[in-house]
Amino acid sequence: MNVWERLRKPARPHTNERRAFDLHADLPPLRVVIDPLVPLTPDIESYFDLLRRADVSILILRRRAQHQLLASGDYSVVTPEETPIDNGWGGVIEKHENGAVRRAIPFAQKNTESAFNWAKRYGLDPVAARARELDAQAAISLDADLYVTDNEFALHRKMMRSACTVSDALAVIGLHQRLRSRVLVGPEDAQFITKWMAERVQVTAMLPHVDAQFNDVADRPAGDRALSMLRAMLVRLERALAARDRLLVTSLHPDGLIGFEAPDELVERAVVALQGVLDAVARALNAQLTTPVPEAEASFSRKSFRAQLPFQTRKLVEDPDNRAIREIISVLRNTIHNEPFGRAAHEKDGEVERLATVEGEPGAKFRALAARLMTTDRWTLFETNSAIPDLGLGVVLRPIPLVDELIVRCAALSDALIASAPWAMPLLPDAEKTGWGSGPSFIRSVQRGYGLDNAVLAR
């Protein structure tokens, strides 16, 4: 018995078992302060109320009048005018289960006037900034991890790190829940689901035409190769989403995080999964051809294979933008055969962004393809001298926007390719969809937790 076998935990451990590698993270509650003036749709308002009631790992803090502090998470603000003895300081009273606690808002009056002057300097509405500054200062005193607001001045200030829009806050809440593998969906049909369930719902929402191919699965032969390839495609896109989650978390820590890979490793994991998605689509299409080519030759990069595809499918595959996406994924994936990703970091105003680098010929190819898609400013930070001068310049990649857009674009292309196939089953109307996770509210709740906006990112 080797050391790893000795340290492996039994299914039912005794109380005296060693715990050297028990690395379960005990995440602190996420404190979310909601600006009383931020507009919320009824659906999102109901979801925040549901979080407050059902998820103890997320504390939703709402402002009330002092006589309305009834539930844990309610808070009220004491203005400087109400307590002139405090010399311009304010206060915030937070209700807990066993009582209430008062926190100070230092220099509230001075900061309120300062907000007017700074907003005017930034070209923002100074009157609105002054009127809403006390709520922003209260969020700081409440130790808010997230301050959900549409206050332009608060969102513009670099020192107000907790300020975020409603959609960004829901994405952070979703990530926090997936790290604990307890994702609360609702408000309709409210229930907790696990991380892999959330990944499956998100994937089927991004690939509606692929999901439609499973509607008549009972009428398809058990060994249907196209169907098995579509299942493989779903799994690989789930793995890309899992790599994105880990990338989001590790990117928050300038020195890395125990148990999480570096950003360059996670970019590589994501693009390998996305290459698998495209390969699975090609093999699914190949399985339905009258004279399919050998599976090893079923690749969109092969002209002989593309020539056998139906016209509409071939048109999508050879579209210049779609071709650039396929080639970027291929270039990044093929770094496992050439020079690997490098690591870099960029510090600005005390913030550290963890980066990945691609050197040599792959870097030059990536730079040209990103320029064709007009995404250079979003995906790269700056160019770097290559370690191999003969091959020109490499590039420094910004992992999060790169992976986000590649996932969305790859999913959109894959779904369009399946929809274009003559044998593809049509989409079912929402009213005819049945089964677990098919409700529109259920799907929207999971999608908000990922924050991948197809309408913004997809081109």
Side-chain angles (χ1 to χ4, degrees), residues 172-355:
V172 175
I173 290 171
L175 176 63
H176 190 270
Q177 292 179 327
R178 291 194 299 276
L179 289 175
R180 299 170 57 252
S181 198
R182 278 174 58 84
V183 180
L184 180 62
V185 294
E188 298 176 14
D189 301 325
Q191 59 184 289
F192 281 102
I193 62 176
T194 61
K195 177 177 177 290
W196 73 265
M197 292 177 178
E199 289 170 352
R200 177 51 57 95
V201 172
Q202 174 67 18
V203 164
T204 54
M206 298 176 78
L207 301 170
H209 289 93
V210 175
D211 186 46
Q213 307 315 305
F214 295 93
N215 293 333
D216 65 339
V217 66
D219 301 328
R220 306 277 283 271
D224 191 315
R225 185 61 178 167
L227 211 58
S228 64
M229 284 294 97
L230 293 182
R231 289 193 187 95
M233 186 178 80
L234 296 176
V235 171
R236 284 165 179 145
L237 191 54
E238 289 172 11
R239 290 175 181 172
L241 291 175
R244 173 185 179 262
D245 278 353
R246 297 178 75 85
L247 174 62
L248 292 173
V249 175
T250 193
S251 296
L252 299 175
H253 298 264
D255 299 321
L257 191 64
I258 292 177
F260 285 77
E261 302 86 340
D264 57 294
E265 298 174 33
L266 292 166
V267 172
E268 184 176 77
R269 180 183 295 186
V271 295
V272 167
L274 293 177
Q275 184 64 62
V277 169
L278 294 175
D279 289 344
V281 173
R283 295 188 178 192
L285 294 172
N286 179 60
Q288 297 293 334
L289 294 177
T290 306
T291 55
V293 302
E295 280 203 343
E297 299 177 13
S299 170
F300 294 129
S301 61
R302 289 180 176 266
K303 187 175 181 179
S304 58
F305 172 67
R306 296 198 304 269
Q308 296 197 49
L309 296 174
F311 174 75
Q312 290 297 332
T313 306
R314 186 168 66 252
K315 186 177 177 181
L316 281 171
V317 171
E318 295 178 348
D319 177 83
D321 285 355
N322 291 338
R323 180 178 178 179
I325 289 296
R326 290 190 294 104
E327 290 180 357
I328 281 176
I329 292 173
S330 178
V331 165
L332 296 180
R333 184 261 179 192
N334 285 340
T335 55
I336 63 176
H337 302 304
N338 300 293
E339 276 201 63
F341 283 103
R343 298 177 184 177
H346 178 63
E347 182 174 354
K348 183 179 180 182
D349 299 330
E351 295 183 2
V352 177
E353 182 178 7
R354 302 182 71 195
L355 308 166

Side-chain angles (χ1 to χ4, degrees), residues 129-172:
R130 178 169 56 190
R132 303 182 69 174
E133 179 63 15
L134 191 60
D135 283 311
Q137 294 295 319
I140 295 175
S141 295
L142 287 167
D143 296 326
D145 296 303
L146 298 176
Y147 175 47
V148 186
T149 183
D150 62 344
N151 181 353
E152 291 184 349
F153 179 64
L155 294 170
H156 185 80
R157 289 171 59 192
K158 293 180 180 179
M159 296 304 295
M160 190 72 185
R161 297 180 183 275
S162 61
C164 61
T165 62
V166 175
S167 58
D168 288 342
L170 290 170
V172 175

Side-chain angles (χ1 to χ4, degrees), residues 380-447:
T380 65
L381 191 63
F382 48 78
E383 295 178 344
T384 179
N385 289 326
S386 174
I388 307 176
D390 294 338
L391 297 179
L393 293 174
V395 289
V396 178
L397 307 179
R398 302 185 64 213
I400 292 176
L402 172 65
V403 169
D404 276 1
E405 290 201 43
L406 286 181
I407 288 175
V408 171
R409 288 173 180 252
C410 181
L413 172 59
S414 301
D415 195 60
L417 289 171
I418 296 301
S420 69
W423 48 267
M425 296 290 295
L427 290 177
L428 285 177
D430 288 342
E432 296 183 20
K433 293 181 179 179
T434 59
W436 178 86
S438 59
S441 174
F442 190 102
I443 295 172
R444 282 198 305 272
S445 180
V446 173
Q447 287 182 300

